[in-house]
Amino acid sequence: MKIVLAYSGGLDTSVLLSWLKEKYDAEMIAFCADIGQEEELKGLNQKAIRTGASKIYIADLSEEFAKDFIFPMMQAGAIYENQYFLGTSIARPLIAKEMVEIARREKADAVAHGATGKGNDQVRFELTAAALAPELEVIAPWRDASFRAQFPGRKEMIEYCARKRIPVEASAKKPYSMDRNLLHISYEAGILEDPWLDAFAPANKAMFKLSVSPEDAPDKPEYVTLDFVKGNCVAVNGKKLNPLGVMRALNKLGGKHGVGRVDLVENRFVGMKSRGVYETPGGSILHFAHRQMESITMDREVMHLRDSLIPKYAELVYYGFWFSPERLALQALVTESQKDVTGTIKVKLYKGNIMTSGRKSPVSLYNPHIATMEADPTKAYNQDDATGFIRLNALRLKVAAQVHRKKRK
């Protein structure tokens, strides 16, 4: 049997690699995706081989992540439960897609992951595999009772690695778990399982990696311009950048000013509520600026239709249905809605806040001559027309009021 394992080189996946090889008498192929997490990848090849892998793939997917996953999602304006920018959710289908491609290339029988049986990631990995390679078996050790019995805690994993001479840096359990990529960092579990704990208190300052606290941000605001073409940001402060470059530039700017921190309790797909703390500095700026660009370029009814679909789109991403036919259908609508979202937005960053400082577009639908409270030089709008407009819209209300008044008598 040949198995491709999503591998990071940490304690959990090192144990998984050895355990799977032993249990299934399998040839193990390790796979690590670089999606902008900036973790140390040096030496990972040797570590995987020493742990029992016959081969390891390390794929730099950062550009694809920005262009084909983050940017389309930003065009949709997707936020899960009005707070979460879907940083982890959107990364999983890309990782799973690449893992499936490697499995096919290697003619593997199965893919495996180390996602817990209580979380969303197991669903995201496996729905992607089902959509792209239904013939592949998916192995999830954390849903195997024998694995959980053998490794009830971190202590047993460390002891296992010592016995097997698996090269890992054994350490005490962190007070929280962390997941990082180009779009965000998430923190959960451990001390954060207490929803009363103030994650942003000075005592927890060391937890954050991408941003300073708003209190420690510069006392002087910074102005940033973002140029958009068809709903995609193509330049920051006048400098043309590809999607990866945009995300890196905005992450740096947002982090400097304490932008994009969120503490929320969210509803997991598997049914439980979970508390998470997130840093999304660049994504927060991009989402805000994109919305402002739409405000002067997008038709009202198109905007309202697209906005009505945001909760569904975000839910599909969060639940793991990125490669589903319904998400692809929604994306087609989103792409059509973005054809005129072109122009420049200027924002002000100041102590955790993002504020609009200017909007302009060659295809702006905002006409100051029509909107003015002064005399309209274009005569495009006759205020007298509003009388009939209001009368017709009020008709059903008047009829209902008269009917119900009679009933009360």
Side-chain angles (χ1 to χ4, degrees):
M1 187 176 193
K2 187 184 285 190
I3 302 171
V4 177
L5 170 70
Y7 174 80
S8 68
L11 179 62
D12 286 22
T13 56
S14 294
V15 169
L16 286 174
L17 197 157
S18 177
W19 186 85
L20 287 167
K21 181 177 182 178
E22 194 172 73
K23 172 164 180 159
Y24 292 93
D25 189 24
E27 178 185 352
M28 297 300 301
I29 308 292
F31 161 61
C32 178
D34 180 358
I35 49 174
Q37 65 266 44
E38 298 189 12
E39 291 176 356
E40 181 56 68
L41 300 177
K42 186 178 179 181
L44 200 61
N45 198 317
Q46 294 86 343
K47 182 183 287 189
I49 300 303
R50 286 178 60 190
T51 305
S54 63
K55 188 186 295 186
I56 179 171
Y57 288 85
I58 301 175
D60 184 352
L61 306 177
S62 298
E63 286 192 21
E64 183 180 0
F65 185 37
K67 177 178 177 289
D68 295 338
F69 290 78
I70 297 175
F71 269 41
M73 185 177 71
M74 286 290 171
Q75 285 189 325
I79 299 183
Y80 182 66
E81 296 183 340
N82 293 314
Q83 296 185 84
Y84 174 39
F85 285 100
L86 297 162
T88 297
S89 313
I90 193 62
R92 297 321 190 207
L94 172 58
I95 296 170
K97 179 178 82 74
E98 184 69 16
M99 186 162 59
V100 162
E101 289 173 1
I102 290 169
R104 281 183 164 154
R105 196 179 314 155
E106 289 287 336
K107 294 182 171 52
D109 305 287
V111 293
H113 62 79
T116 172
K118 281 190 171 184
N120 298 307
D121 282 342
Q122 57 179 339
V123 186
R124 296 163 183 156
F125 278 122
E126 295 182 39
L127 289 181
T128 299
L132 302 182
E135 74 281 1
L136 278 175
E137 180 184 353
V138 180
I139 301 173
W142 281 108
R143 298 205 303 266
D144 185 321
S146 66
F147 180 83
R148 296 196 305 274
Q150 188 174 349
F151 302 106
R154 195 171 181 85
K155 175 176 172 288
E156 288 77 14
M157 286 187 160
I158 293 171
E159 290 172 351
Y160 176 86
C161 290
R163 287 197 309 272
K164 297 284 186 178
R165 296 184 178 179
I166 296 171
V168 295
E169 293 181 14
S171 61
K173 186 173 177 61
K174 290 181 180 179
Y176 48 82
S177 66
M178 186 177 90
D179 181 77
R180 179 175 182 175
N181 62 45
L182 182 66
L183 183 53
H184 85 161
I185 295 183
S186 66
Y187 308 92
E188 61 181 7
I191 61 172
L192 297 175
E193 289 177 354
D194 175 9
W196 189 252
L197 179 113
D198 182 0
F200 303 137
N204 298 316
K205 187 182 293 188
M207 179 173 72
F208 296 94
K209 307 296 181 187
L210 294 181
S211 63
V212 301
S213 67
E215 296 89 340
D216 295 334
D219 293 328
K220 183 179 179 181
E222 183 168 0
Y223 293 86
V224 180
T225 61
L226 295 88
D227 297 335
F228 287 86
V229 174
K230 295 184 177 180
N232 286 321
C233 182
V234 297
V236 176
N237 287 332
K239 182 180 180 181
K240 289 187 177 180
L241 297 167
N242 65 10
L244 176 58
V246 167
M247 293 308 302
R248 285 175 172 166
L250 294 180
N251 276 335
K252 187 175 180 181
L253 289 163
K256 175 183 174 183
H257 292 278
V259 164
R261 292 186 173 191
V262 175
D263 180 343
L264 67 106
V265 174
E266 67 203 55
N267 289 295
R268 285 184 179 172
F269 192 15
V270 293
M272 69 187 75
K273 289 185 181 290
S274 171
R275 193 268 186 97
V277 177
Y278 300 94
E279 289 181 277
T280 318
S284 298
I285 298 171
L286 183 59
H287 183 277
F288 180 90
H290 176 257
R291 183 75 197 194
Q292 296 305 310
M293 193 76 265
E294 289 180 330
S295 72
I296 62 170
T297 59
M298 186 182 282
D299 174 81
R300 182 189 72 184
E301 295 306 315
V302 172
M303 177 184 283
H304 290 181
L305 175 60
R306 193 283 314 273
D307 286 356
S308 72
L309 297 168
I310 286 176
K312 182 61 178 179
Y313 187 106
E315 189 178 84
L316 290 172
V317 175
Y318 188 83
Y319 290 174
F321 288 97
W322 181 257
F323 290 104
S324 67
E326 61 269 35
R327 201 283 303 178
L328 295 172
L330 282 180
Q331 196 70 56
L333 184 146
V334 167
T335 300
E336 174 65 20
S337 77
Q338 300 295 299
K339 64 183 181 181
D340 293 321
V341 182
T342 295
T344 300
I345 296 295
K346 181 167 63 173
V347 298
K348 178 168 71 172
L349 308 179
Y350 182 67
K351 292 192 176 295
N353 295 295
I354 312 168
M355 293 160 276
T356 307
S357 294
R359 313 168 183 86
K360 62 180 180 180
S361 169
V363 289
S364 174
L365 299 177
Y366 171 74
N367 188 325
H369 298 302
I370 296 175
T372 182
M373 293 300 179
E374 306 298 327
D376 176 10
T378 69
K379 300 188 185 304
Y381 187 95
N382 184 345
Q383 294 189 48
D384 293 347
D385 293 342
T387 301
F389 175 79
I390 295 168
R391 185 176 291 132
L392 289 174
N393 276 283
L395 179 60
R396 66 185 179 89
L397 304 179
K398 289 181 177 180
V399 170
Q402 291 166 355
V403 169
H404 296 309
R405 190 180 302 132
K406 288 179 182 177
K407 280 184 177 180
R408 287 194 293 269
K409 286 182 179 180

